[in-house]
Amino acid sequence: MQVVGVVGAGVMGTGVAQSLAQARFDVVLVDVSDAVLTRAKAEIRNNLRFHALLNKSAAQEGASDALGRIRFTSACEDLSGADFVVENVVEKWEVKQPLYVQLDKICPAHCVFAANTSAIPITRIASATRRAPQVIGMHFMNPVPLKKTVEVIRGFHTSARTIEIADELLARMGKDSVLVNDAPGFVSNRVLMLTINEAICLVQEQVASAEDVDRIFKSCFEHKMGPLETADLIGLDTILYSIEVLHDRFADSKYRPSPLLRKMVDAGLHGRKSGRGFYEYPDSAAQA
């Protein structure tokens, strides 16, 4: 296992590609947008330079060496030699389903597919392929290079060998894993999305400001980030899509998205990546 494909060059895909390159994998980073690929390359270069300042071994290798192991392309056909693929596209079934059909045709028979999805069940994703035993969930946390633990999800058909291969890849990346069974939202987002959604409702109802909601979680519970800061980091559009998946799959009103969340997403206030969410991020806005 040496060639790893990463599909989707957004925030998560960029972080996954960087981490894989630092682990000395040969990476093929695919995105439909050349502009997104250009931005991803610049971000990875900057991140690697910053990492080198803090890490002597990384400094000896140099940012250009790790960056040189990443091939940036808009052609899925370039995944024809991949041993493993990590998918990071938008959290919408109408986008993921045809992508997996395409990947299934292009990638070698031995290739494992890992879905870095926020809420869509792995068993459903596997149904779009003819290799269900080789499909697994691999839920990385943001920012990927700094987070040491990954939530790994076993679909209904996921084989023991696929789990072993996923664990081997994560071990080479210096990451631990927690294996859970398949369910919409898995463990992390089934809990987290409800928390964030309720925090947004509190702001909408003027019970507290975003700053005060986050302050309570940081000061009283000693969380490093409050739920609304976390929402801005993940992306409010991703939060909305994930909650919509939970609402659709469980048909339970407790997963009804906050109207304020919908309004902010419609207004283009997606959090850090757009420059504004519950807080403002001038540097991110300048890059967008």
Side-chain angles (χ1 to χ4, degrees):
M1 183 170 56
Q2 183 57 33
V3 179
V4 181
V6 178
V7 182
V11 173
M12 294 301 295
T14 297
V16 171
Q18 176 187 327
S19 296
L20 286 164
Q22 288 177 292
R24 298 183 177 276
F25 285 101
D26 296 322
V27 181
V28 181
L29 179 57
V30 181
D31 198 282
V32 294
S33 169
D34 289 333
V36 169
L37 288 169
T38 299
R39 187 163 61 243
K41 187 172 185 178
E43 183 175 341
I44 291 171
R45 181 184 291 110
N46 290 337
N47 290 345
L48 289 170
R49 286 173 177 168
F50 180 73
H51 180 69
L53 294 175
L54 304 177
N55 188 301
K56 290 184 179 180
S57 61
Q60 291 174 353
E61 179 189 35
S64 60
D65 295 326
L67 191 62
R69 284 193 285 272
I70 304 175
R71 179 181 179 186
F72 299 83
T73 177
S74 58
C76 270
E77 289 74 16
D78 289 335
L79 297 171
S80 60
D83 301 308
F84 197 103
V85 170
V86 183
E87 172 269 310
N88 312 269
V89 302
V90 66
E91 194 71 0
K92 291 189 175 182
W93 178 244
E94 59 267 29
V95 176
K96 289 186 183 290
Q97 192 271 343
L99 172 63
Y100 276 94
V101 172
Q102 183 181 17
L103 291 175
D104 200 36
K105 294 176 181 177
I106 293 171
C107 296
H110 70 273
C111 184
V112 168
F113 294 163
N116 184 15
T117 178
S118 298
I120 296 175
I122 304 308
T123 303
R124 187 181 193 192
I125 290 173
S127 72
T129 77
R130 294 169 294 177
R131 62 181 81 196
Q134 293 161 241
V135 179
I136 193 168
M138 194 175 275
H139 186 204
F140 289 89
M141 307 299 162
N142 188 29
V144 177
L146 301 180
K147 299 295 185 179
K148 296 298 184 182
T149 304
V150 177
E151 184 180 29
V152 174
I153 305 99
R154 173 172 43 209
F156 185 87
H157 296 289
T158 305
S159 70
R161 179 56 186 149
T162 295
I163 294 170
E164 290 175 3
I165 292 171
D167 283 344
E168 290 169 9
L169 179 136
L170 291 173
R172 280 185 60 181
M173 295 174 71
K175 298 188 184 298
D176 297 322
S177 64
V178 178
L179 179 65
V180 303
N181 290 320
D182 194 21
F186 325 121
V187 172
S188 59
N189 279 345
R190 188 165 168 184
V191 175
L192 178 62
M193 294 302 158
L194 275 176
T195 302
I196 289 174
N197 197 48
E198 282 301 311
I200 296 171
C201 288
L202 289 168
V203 174
Q204 178 181 318
E205 296 163 13
Q206 298 183 340
V207 175
S209 66
E211 292 83 357
D212 285 343
V213 170
D214 284 340
R215 183 182 175 193
I216 287 170
F217 276 82
K218 291 188 289 185
S219 300
C220 298
F221 302 127
E222 298 187 359
H223 290 190
K224 292 183 179 179
M225 298 179 70
L228 300 176
E229 290 173 313
T230 301
D232 274 1
L233 178 64
I234 294 171
L236 300 186
D237 52 339
T238 300
I239 299 293
L240 176 59
Y241 300 152
S242 299
I243 294 175
E244 287 178 333
V245 169
L246 293 171
H247 188 257
D248 175 67
R249 301 301 288 185
F250 287 112
D252 190 328
S253 61
K254 72 181 180 182
Y255 297 110
R256 181 180 64 88
S258 162
L260 176 58
L261 174 61
R262 290 191 185 278
K263 184 177 182 179
M264 292 179 71
V265 172
D266 287 344
L269 308 181
H270 295 173
R272 287 195 183 192
K273 60 188 175 184
S274 70
R276 183 180 172 191
F278 288 98
Y279 302 91
E280 294 189 2
Y281 309 90
D283 293 340
S284 298
Q287 295 174 5

